[in-house]
Amino acid sequence: MATHKTYSISDLRDRPEFAGDVADRIWNAWWRKDGHELAFIRGLVDENFASTGLPMAFVAHDGDTFLGTAHLIDSDLESRPQYSPWVAALWVDEAARKSGLGTALARAGAEAAFKQGFETVYLCAKPRLTAYYEGMGWQKIEEDVEGTNVFSMRRSA
């Protein structure tokens, strides 16, 4: 397993050259199997460039090498409109996993929400990832919502 000891996390708006990588990884991980077109996902990613709040995307990279991404969005579950904002589409390249990068990306999303004045941020994940997110400090608040568990993190006092 290769680990990346050096990486940076940047706002996608500051590193637009990674937008294609972000769209590709998100599409392959979550949307392709549902029949969505890559161009549709690229359009969603490109919405970040016109945004000053939400959505907001982060990229982890080692220089010009893309390593991962996470997003801060308004809503990730249609059935839970009362929860906002969400850290979503957290994805790390396989070679960079188990290096703390996922934790760093999730934290970047949560911190961005807190800087924008939100008191609580949410995320959802498959039940098998519960221990992973709880280990980062997320609290499970609901189980089996559209096949996922829902977590929250509150701003530190």
Side-chain angles (χ1 to χ4, degrees):
M1 171 194 68
T3 59
H4 287 270
K5 293 182 177 28
T6 62
Y7 62 83
S8 300
I9 295 179
S10 301
D11 185 322
L12 180 62
R13 292 173 289 202
D14 296 330
R15 297 301 302 258
E17 69 273 21
F18 291 123
D21 293 310
V22 169
D24 177 72
R25 299 324 191 277
I26 292 171
W27 179 63
N28 278 299
W30 295 288
W31 295 88
R32 185 179 189 175
K33 67 183 177 295
D34 293 336
H36 291 86
E37 296 291 328
L38 176 58
F40 170 73
I41 302 306
R42 179 61 193 255
L44 293 177
V45 170
D46 286 347
E47 288 178 9
N48 290 282
F49 297 113
S51 170
T52 56
L54 302 177
M56 186 173 193
F58 300 92
V59 291
H61 55 95
D62 183 354
D64 291 332
T65 303
F66 175 83
L67 300 174
T69 186
H71 302 258
L72 184 63
I73 63 173
D74 185 52
S75 178
D76 203 22
L77 288 174
E78 287 184 18
S79 65
R80 296 296 183 269
Q82 70 273 30
Y83 299 151
S84 185
W86 294 74
V87 172
L90 174 62
W91 191 92
V92 175
D93 264 338
E94 201 164 326
R97 291 179 185 164
K98 300 194 186 306
S99 66
L101 202 50
T103 299
L105 282 162
R107 182 152 308 283
E111 290 299 324
F114 300 146
K115 284 180 185 167
Q116 290 183 38
F118 294 100
E119 293 295 321
T120 306
V121 64
Y122 302 89
L123 68 76
C124 61
K126 296 290 184 196
R128 65 181 168 77
L129 296 171
T130 296
Y132 174 71
Y133 286 105
E134 287 178 338
M136 283 187 219
W138 293 85
Q139 293 188 309
K140 182 172 59 174
I141 58 172
E142 289 193 62
E143 290 186 357
D144 195 24
V145 179
E146 299 179 33
T148 68
N149 289 344
V150 178
F151 301 83
S152 69
M153 183 179 283
R154 293 191 55 78
R155 177 199 306 260
S156 298

